[in-house]
Amino acid sequence: MSAPHRFDRGHTDDLMSFLAASPSPYHAVANTAQRLEKAGFRQVAETDAWDGTSGGKYVLRGGAIVAWYVPEGAAPHTPFRIVGAHTDSPNLRVKPVPDLGGHGWRQVAVEIYGGPLLNSWLDRDLGLAGRLVLRDGSTRLVDIDRPLLRVPQLAIHLDRAVNTDGLKLDKQRHLQPIWGMSDDVREGDLIAFLEQESGLAPGEVTGWDLMTHSVEPPAYLGRDRELVAGPRMDNLLSVHAGSAALAAVATAPAGESLPYIPVLAAFDHEENGSQSDTGADGPLLGSVLERSVFARGGSYEDRARAFAGTVCLSSDTGHAVHPNYAERHDPTHHPRVNGGPILKVNVNNRYATDGSGRAVWVAACDRAGVPFQNFVSNNSMPCGTTIGPITAARHGIKTVDIGVAILSMHSARELCGADDPHLLANALVAFLEG
């Protein structure tokens, strides 16, 4: 079976549009769903009874989406091929009582989400995005994508030692953005502003999940435009690649004869532990896979057989070798941007990759003609983790950790190679085809 599509730099152009249009997990899943619908997928509600018909389907829950394609005549025990990713990124999120100010300034009270590079949020023009929850329980996406907020850094004249002793930021006192001037800050001002911007009646909003984002658009960088700078690459780069690969496989002429059921599972809350109803440590993925088996007339035995043959690629960004800090990397593992996606290994199970999982990844890359690199942390540096070990342990399915090497991870603006996104997408197509 030949690959149904060959992604190129056009994929990277599309990624940049996706990043700009997805300032929150809620926007990311809405945009992913829209792209999948163009490929023939349809939304199914978790509260409805599911049927066993073939074709592409997806479930939305908050900032998470699970999409899958059932080939014609797929047996109930047909295994799954899953691309796992996450939709959230570290940032500053609005508190329940957001209106703050003093000394003539109007500010927004924010809480730190995940593990951002705090200094990267200073002196940067910020917008505000997320979802508003209305009195009737419905939600409305909101995106103020213009310079609205700013976290001003203290001038060097008032912090003379900043360049010698380092920048020291108090998370409570030093990161509250300004958004105007007023000597009369009143509770409800920010939400009233968002209601007006969204065309809603005063008092219609009763809940919100709001976050800041840089309004500077993604851009090519470098002498030969071989790099891409932009926000939220960790991990919307993988969400975008996974959705593109799933759509390509589902719409290929050979899609009806796939030996596996291809799946995209993009979760929220990876950056703070994945423990939520929309996180990888929640029941969402397992529920969707089981219901798919049972909707096709399967039994618990079919479910067990399907899961036993299932493989998940946990796709998340990793660390490219940093030219100014090369000693922080393992001396024999120096992934480079534009060198192809990375296979992530940690023997203490911070990543889920083992030898048999590596073989699955190598086969997919060979079939796609995609080079790949290995990533292992320096023994003296703590290793991060992903949804990979969580997925493997919770569902008992073979999981392999892979991704794209970037610089400035967890910054408000990250950096990747311009070729790596489409190389990853091509490898994911080959994996989903099986």
Side-chain angles (χ1 to χ4, degrees):
M1 189 188 301
S2 61
H5 189 76
R6 188 73 181 178
F7 296 108
D8 53 22
R9 277 284 182 97
H11 174 90
T12 306
D13 294 338
D14 191 61
L15 167 64
M16 294 164 69
S17 298
F18 182 75
L19 294 173
S22 304
S24 78
Y26 314 107
H27 290 82
V29 299
N31 290 326
T32 299
Q34 185 179 51
R35 289 160 177 260
L36 290 173
E37 289 204 355
K38 291 181 179 178
F41 286 69
R42 62 181 177 87
Q43 183 176 1
V44 294
E46 292 185 82
T47 53
D48 291 344
W50 291 6
D51 59 47
T53 56
S54 61
K57 305 171 186 180
Y58 68 90
V59 165
L60 292 181
R61 185 192 290 184
I65 181 171
V66 179
W68 65 104
Y69 177 79
V70 180
E72 189 72 36
H77 60 269
T78 301
F80 301 91
R81 280 287 175 107
I82 305 167
V83 174
H86 67 89
T87 61
D88 59 318
S89 302
N91 54 22
L92 311 177
R93 301 205 172 187
V94 176
K95 288 185 174 181
V97 181
D99 298 290
L100 180 71
H103 309 287
W105 295 103
R106 186 191 296 273
Q107 294 176 276
V108 175
V110 296
E111 188 174 4
I112 310 303
Y113 179 82
L117 281 170
L118 297 177
N119 63 293
S120 71
W121 291 89
L122 301 178
D123 296 331
R124 190 179 294 274
D125 296 339
L126 304 175
L128 197 61
R131 66 176 179 179
L132 304 173
V133 184
L134 311 186
R135 287 193 176 276
D136 62 3
S138 63
T139 60
R140 179 78 63 87
L141 294 183
V142 61
D143 180 11
I144 311 300
D145 193 32
R146 66 174 188 270
L148 179 69
L149 308 113
R150 186 180 179 92
V151 183
Q153 188 173 185
L154 186 64
I156 193 170
H157 312 81
L158 304 177
D159 188 7
R160 294 284 184 177
V162 65
N163 287 335
T164 55
D165 296 347
L167 178 66
K168 297 178 177 62
L169 294 172
D170 183 287
K171 293 180 180 179
Q172 178 62 37
R173 294 184 295 124
H174 298 153
L175 290 165
Q176 310 305 321
I178 61 172
W179 71 299
M181 301 181 66
S182 178
D183 289 315
D184 184 22
V185 176
R186 299 180 182 180
E187 184 176 339
D189 282 352
L190 178 66
I191 300 306
F193 165 76
L194 294 175
E195 287 174 332
Q196 183 178 21
E197 289 285 312
S198 303
L200 298 169
E204 195 170 351
V205 173
T206 58
W208 53 86
D209 299 285
L210 300 167
M211 58 206 71
T212 59
H213 66 276
S214 171
V215 299
E216 185 180 2
Y220 284 106
L221 183 146
R223 187 192 69 175
D224 300 317
R225 292 164 54 89
E226 69 268 44
L227 304 170
V228 173
R232 299 176 295 280
M233 292 183 182
D234 178 14
N235 186 30
L236 294 188
L237 188 157
S238 295
V239 175
H240 177 261
S243 62
L246 178 60
V249 170
T251 55
E256 289 299 331
S257 59
L258 291 169
Y260 300 98
I261 295 174
V263 179
L264 169 68
F267 302 100
D268 201 353
H269 302 134
E270 189 272 347
E271 298 293 356
N272 60 10
S274 295
Q275 292 185 321
S276 71
D277 68 326
T278 54
D281 204 17
L284 179 58
L285 176 61
S287 173
V288 169
L289 299 184
E290 288 179 346
R291 292 184 68 176
S292 175
V293 170
F294 298 149
R296 285 176 280 121
S299 62
Y300 183 82
E301 182 71 11
D302 291 312
R303 180 261 188 214
R305 293 174 65 188
F307 276 45
T310 292
V311 183
C312 174
L313 289 187
S314 165
S315 182
D316 204 344
T317 55
H319 303 295
V321 61
H322 196 301
N324 299 335
Y325 301 90
E327 73 281 359
R328 303 292 181 94
H329 300 264
D330 183 84
T332 59
H333 295 80
H334 280 180
R336 299 185 177 189
V337 298
N338 288 330
I342 56 175
L343 177 71
K344 302 158 83 171
V345 177
N346 179 265
V347 295
N348 293 300
N349 287 336
R350 300 293 286 173
Y351 302 132
T353 306
D354 63 10
S356 61
R358 176 187 174 90
V360 173
W361 173 243
V362 170
C365 289
D366 284 349
R367 187 165 171 278
V370 169
F372 76 92
Q373 308 174 85
N374 293 287
F375 173 82
V376 177
S377 289
N378 185 310
N379 285 330
S380 300
M381 305 292 294
C383 180
T385 190
T386 67
I387 66 167
I390 294 172
T391 304
R394 181 170 183 84
H395 305 293
I397 58 180
K398 181 178 296 296
T399 304
V400 188
D401 272 294
I402 56 102
V404 162
I406 69 171
L407 292 182
S408 305
M409 187 185 295
H410 286 201
S411 172
R413 195 167 176 85
E414 297 162 324
L415 185 73
C416 78
D419 292 327
D420 286 330
H422 65 81
L423 292 174
L424 173 64
N426 287 327
L428 295 183
V429 168
F431 166 74
L432 291 177
E433 284 187 322

